[in-house]
Amino acid sequence: MKYWYDGRGHLNEFSPETQSELLCYPDLLDPRNYALNYICSEQETYQVLRGKFLKYHMWAIRELYRTIPNLTKILNYRDLAETVHQENDFHLVSNHYMLFYYGDPSNEISNPWGYIYFPETLSDYKKKCLENVLSYFEVYNFLFLMQKEDERLVPLNKNPEDFMPTLRKMCR
């Protein structure tokens, strides 16, 4: 499901009618259009469009947890409101979610940033999701890649030149 945050505390389902006013980039598949990407399984993918009201993406994360029952099963909304989302990300990755977060894609920022959190093993579906967006990731200088190992998240890349080779390796 694709959502957009309206700035008044509500997530709305994305529709083709709202596409032109909400997208930063013309291609709906371009991951830079989304501040949040939660890839759970073939039946469960949740994305929140960046939009003009998503300056503080934590608001959208909280609303996503209120809206999506499967997320609430993993972490209570009250817990989410009391913690920083990196702690919550670990709970999602522990439940086999793959997460993408993106910084502001505007031209004003010289070094776009973002995070991709991987579970310990990737399903074929998650690998396919990565393959589908590899060409878009080429536009970034560097994203942080983190993978769950044992009971912690460990970095997969420390240098910008490691980013794309590591990402391609994850797709295999």
Side-chain angles (χ1 to χ4, degrees):
M1 293 293 272
K2 293 175 178 31
Y3 297 95
W4 60 278
Y5 182 74
D6 67 5
R8 295 179 301 233
H10 299 100
L11 278 180
N12 302 287
E13 284 190 37
F14 175 78
S15 68
E17 295 80 43
T18 58
Q19 180 170 333
S20 63
E21 91 181 49
L22 292 173
L23 295 181
C24 298
Y25 297 90
D27 188 350
L28 183 61
L29 295 177
D30 190 330
R32 294 173 294 176
N33 283 317
Y34 301 93
L36 313 171
N37 295 272
Y38 292 20
I39 300 165
C40 321
S41 67
E42 288 184 50
Q43 295 79 31
E44 292 181 290
T45 299
Y46 308 111
Q47 298 175 300
V48 178
L49 284 161
R50 183 168 308 289
K52 63 183 177 182
F53 297 112
L54 202 55
K55 184 174 181 181
Y56 303 103
H57 67 272
M58 190 63 185
W59 295 341
I61 291 173
R62 288 180 179 158
E63 289 309 309
L64 200 60
Y65 271 85
R66 282 188 187 186
T67 306
I68 309 301
N70 287 348
L71 295 177
T72 306
K73 289 177 191 173
I74 294 170
L75 192 69
N76 184 301
Y77 169 76
R78 290 175 196 244
D79 294 334
L80 178 70
E82 310 251 332
T83 62
V84 295
H85 73 78
Q86 285 82 2
E87 295 171 23
N88 306 320
D89 297 341
F90 181 77
H91 292 290
L92 290 171
V93 170
S94 296
N95 283 277
H96 309 291
Y97 282 55
M98 182 170 68
L99 315 174
F100 301 171
Y101 291 105
Y102 296 97
D104 187 345
S106 72
N107 293 331
E108 297 169 9
I109 294 181
S110 59
N111 294 312
W113 60 271
Y115 294 91
I116 303 177
Y117 294 104
F118 299 101
E120 286 182 284
T121 58
L122 291 179
S123 66
D124 288 340
Y125 177 72
K126 290 180 180 101
K127 289 178 184 178
K128 187 70 171 166
C129 287
L130 280 177
E131 285 175 16
N132 288 339
V133 294
L134 274 180
S135 62
Y136 294 109
F137 284 126
E138 298 275 355
V139 302
Y140 288 102
N141 297 331
F142 185 63
L143 289 179
F144 296 98
L145 306 175
M146 305 289 287
Q147 186 170 27
K148 181 186 180 290
E149 287 185 10
D150 300 321
E151 293 304 312
R152 59 193 174 106
L153 288 169
V154 296
L156 296 176
N157 64 326
K158 294 182 179 161
N159 302 307
E161 59 271 7
D162 296 338
F163 169 62
M164 283 309 294
T166 303
L167 197 55
R168 284 187 186 96
K169 181 180 173 188
M170 297 302 292
C171 293
R172 290 188 218 135

